Amino acid sequence: MEYIKIFFVNTAVLITLAYLANLLFKHTISRVPEQLKQVIWVIMAVFAGWLSSFFGYRLDEQVIFDLRYVPLIISAIAYPQPLLLILIGVGTGLMRFTFGINMAAAAGVLNLSILGFICAAISPWIRRSPMSMTAKGLIIILVVNFFNAVNIILFGVISLHEYVSKIMPVTFPAGVALSILFALIARDFHLERERMRQIEEANALLSEQTEELYKNRIVLEERAKQLMLASQYKSEFLANMSHELRTPLNGILNLSELIAESDDMAAREEIQAYGSLIHRSGEDLLLLINDVLDLSKVEAGKLEIVHEEVNISELPMLLYQQFEVIAKQRGLDFTVKLDDGLPETLVSDSQRMQQILRNLLSNAFKFTHQGGVSLTVRQEKRKQGARETSWIEWAVSDSGIGIAKDKQLTIFEAFQQADGTISRQYGGTGLGLSISRDLARLLGGMITLQSQEGQGSTFSLYLPTTLEDKA
């Protein structure tokens, strides 16, 4: 009968401690990091085991009967993690030495340590089993109580006959019954912990969704802004295009009308001048149409690239001859420089190279009022992994109006110029740089820009010397 009284005292102490621990976890410890939470749990479980021994029944000076293994059962249900259960088992066992170092205490340490390892061994099953928490709790209770009795029989200092005939018939069923009671408390704690975890996950998911919605809103606003800008640029492009088309067409119509209305006495020189102007207007119109067609072919992926050997020294001289007259007319210096050590040829498309460089040089002369324009050709070696590649740089520099830093990316987009007023002041459709950039990519190269507003610009076309070196 004394055993039952002591078990009920143990039960009252452990229930009180479980209630206080539940309150502490719910309102304080639940907010700390998971690792710290587990450390606190181990300390509380070991303390609960020690408290159970403190209020346990002393059979004699050495032997104490108690429910110190109950916190281990609760921990196996609430925190089925091997290392944590081993620490609780060994820690609770070692606390037995605080009541005296003797054979009974050593047996108690060994008993709780074995129970800790047994709980650790079945913890993976506890986590993964599809059984209900109630069924798993009952199995844990029976396993721990059974091995507790076996350990007392094997390692205890009480005689086998006395334990089996007098003590075990009372303590084993009482231990199982009280363990079930505490398992129900543990189940409530587990459900509360699971509910808190679900709330935290739901809050985290809501935060992620809110952040994702905010990001999507920013993206949509940015796209809407880009669409508005694209619409604006296309409107400006159509206005510029109508102007660019109208000018040479009006010239052709007016001059052809003058020729038609002229009498036979008109001077041959005057007719030739009209014809020359008509021819020049037709060339301007053809170049404009070619730009539009090239852009549409590039976007459709139907622009053909013809790879052949291109003489590196001939192309700059050809460009010099084409732009020398423009430089003299505008009072600008125009220089062409080829660095020493250049290879004789590179493999590329000569026609598209000329188209890119003509666009870059045309822009340079268009936006330069004083100073000059230069074309420099140099070789550059680059490392691509363990392989060294050879590139030719065609740098077109001018001392013109320059480009603001925030406009240096947009000018390469179709229909766009650094400033909407530029088209009205300087003319052009805003297609040249876009086409040049796309052509450079098709040739396996790229175009870079260095510019400072008011101090000129340098556009550099980089092309590989061979197809194997392309980017």
Side-chain angles (χ1 to χ4, degrees):
M1 193 65 184
E2 192 67 26
Y3 300 134
I4 300 299
K5 290 181 181 179
I6 294 300
F7 270 40
F8 276 112
V9 170
N10 266 238
T11 302
V13 170
L14 291 176
I15 287 175
T16 303
L17 190 61
Y19 176 74
L20 293 174
N22 193 25
L23 288 177
L24 188 63
F25 255 81
K26 185 183 294 185
H27 298 290
T28 306
I29 300 175
S30 61
R31 297 182 179 87
V32 304
E34 185 63 25
Q35 289 184 341
L36 181 57
K37 195 183 297 182
Q38 292 178 9
V39 171
I40 295 171
W41 180 271
V42 170
I43 294 171
M44 291 177 64
V46 171
F47 175 72
W50 176 86
L51 207 60
S52 177
S53 296
F54 183 80
F55 289 100
Y57 174 65
R58 291 183 176 271
L59 189 62
D60 55 35
E61 291 185 0
Q62 295 187 7
V63 180
I64 301 175
F65 276 96
D66 51 45
L67 295 174
R68 81 187 83 157
Y69 55 85
V70 169
L72 187 58
I73 294 174
I74 296 174
S75 299
I77 298 172
Y79 274 106
Q81 297 181 23
L83 180 60
L84 186 141
L85 295 173
I86 291 170
L87 289 173
I88 292 174
V90 174
T92 304
L94 290 173
M95 293 301 289
R96 178 63 177 80
F97 283 131
T98 60
F99 301 101
I101 300 175
N102 46 56
M103 290 298 294
V109 173
L110 184 59
N111 180 24
L112 264 295
S113 299
I114 292 173
L115 293 180
F117 277 97
I118 290 172
C119 290
I122 64 174
S123 62
W125 170 80
I126 298 170
R127 291 197 305 271
R128 298 169 189 164
S129 174
M131 294 175 64
S132 67
M133 184 56 62
T134 302
K136 287 190 283 189
L138 287 172
I139 292 172
I140 295 167
I141 289 167
L142 291 174
V143 168
V144 172
N145 276 276
F146 172 76
F147 279 101
N148 179 59
V150 170
N151 290 338
I152 292 174
I153 292 171
L154 294 176
F155 309 113
V157 297
I158 305 171
S159 67
L160 177 63
H161 174 74
E162 183 181 359
Y163 178 70
V164 172
S165 62
K166 296 181 179 180
I167 300 174
M168 184 177 171
V170 178
T171 58
F172 186 81
V176 171
L178 294 174
S179 297
I180 291 173
L181 174 64
F182 281 104
L184 293 175
I185 296 174
R187 177 179 173 274
D188 290 339
F189 174 80
H190 177 79
L191 292 175
E192 178 68 18
R193 185 165 163 263
E194 189 66 20
R195 187 180 69 83
M196 293 296 294
R197 185 185 63 80
Q198 290 174 354
I199 291 173
E200 289 175 0
E201 288 181 355
N203 288 336
L205 182 61
L206 284 173
S207 297
E208 288 179 6
Q209 290 176 343
T210 303
E211 187 177 353
E212 191 67 27
L213 285 172
Y214 177 74
K215 289 180 180 178
N216 289 339
R217 184 169 66 85
I218 296 296
V219 170
L220 287 173
E221 289 177 355
E222 185 63 28
R223 286 182 181 174
K225 183 180 178 182
Q226 290 174 356
L227 285 173
M228 290 177 61
L229 286 173
S231 177
Q232 177 187 340
Y233 290 136
K234 285 185 179 181
S235 298
E236 291 180 0
F237 166 75
L238 290 174
N240 297 339
M241 180 64 78
S242 63
H243 171 75
E244 295 291 328
L245 286 170
R246 194 182 299 117
T247 300
L249 279 174
N250 284 337
I252 291 171
L253 292 172
N254 292 335
L255 291 170
S256 59
E257 186 179 3
L258 287 174
I259 292 174
E261 292 177 353
S262 64
D263 53 27
D264 295 338
M265 301 301 293
R268 181 178 178 82
E269 290 79 5
E270 186 177 357
I271 299 297
Q272 287 178 337
Y274 290 161
S276 177
L277 289 172
I278 290 173
H279 179 72
R280 192 178 308 142
S281 297
E283 283 184 336
D284 291 343
L285 190 59
L286 181 61
L287 285 173
L288 185 60
I289 293 171
N290 282 338
D291 278 349
V292 175
L293 290 176
D294 283 344
L295 180 64
S296 63
K297 285 181 181 179
V298 169
E299 290 183 347
K302 295 183 178 180
L303 188 69
E304 293 184 3
I305 299 297
V306 180
H307 291 289
E308 59 185 356
E309 286 196 355
V310 181
N311 191 297
I312 292 177
S313 59
E314 285 183 0
L315 184 55
M317 293 302 104
L318 179 63
L319 293 168
Y320 181 80
Q321 292 172 5
Q322 293 175 359
F323 286 92
E324 183 184 17
V325 176
I326 297 175
K328 288 180 179 179
Q329 289 174 349
R330 297 178 64 88
L332 300 172
D333 295 329
F334 181 38
T335 59
V336 174
K337 179 185 177 184
L338 281 73
D339 281 3
D340 297 333
L342 289 171
E344 290 186 7
T345 61
L346 80 160
V347 178
S348 193
D349 188 319
S350 176
Q351 179 186 348
R352 301 306 174 186
M353 286 177 61
Q354 290 186 51
Q355 185 176 354
I356 295 170
L357 292 171
R358 276 200 302 268
N359 277 335
L360 297 180
L361 286 167
S362 294
N363 283 343
F365 281 108
K366 182 190 296 184
F367 299 113
T368 302
H369 304 298
Q370 58 184 4
V373 175
S374 66
L375 171 61
T376 305
V377 186
R378 61 176 68 94
Q379 186 176 19
E380 184 176 310
K381 300 287 186 180
R382 292 188 178 184
K383 282 281 188 181
Q384 289 187 346
R387 190 166 61 94
E388 187 180 69
T389 57
S390 177
W391 295 73
I392 303 298
E393 177 191 0
W394 310 74
V396 176
S397 302
D398 64 65
S399 57
I401 61 175
I403 303 165
K405 206 169 190 65
D406 60 335
K407 301 294 184 181
Q408 292 183 12
L409 290 177
T410 59
I411 60 169
F412 285 98
E413 301 299 326
F415 317 122
Q416 300 189 28
Q417 293 180 323
D419 188 345
T421 60
I422 284 178
S423 61
R424 294 191 288 272
Q425 183 178 353
Y426 294 95
T429 60
L431 294 178
L433 285 177
S434 176
I435 294 171
S436 297
R437 179 202 59 185
D438 292 338
L439 289 175
R441 289 175 179 172
L442 290 174
L443 295 177
M446 58 187 169
I447 294 177
T448 63
L449 167 62
Q450 291 181 336
S451 182
Q452 191 169 347
E453 196 169 8
Q455 297 186 18
S457 307
T458 297
F459 287 85
S460 296
L461 168 65
Y462 288 91
L463 294 176
T465 56
T466 63
L467 294 178
E468 291 76 13
D469 291 340
K470 66 190 295 184

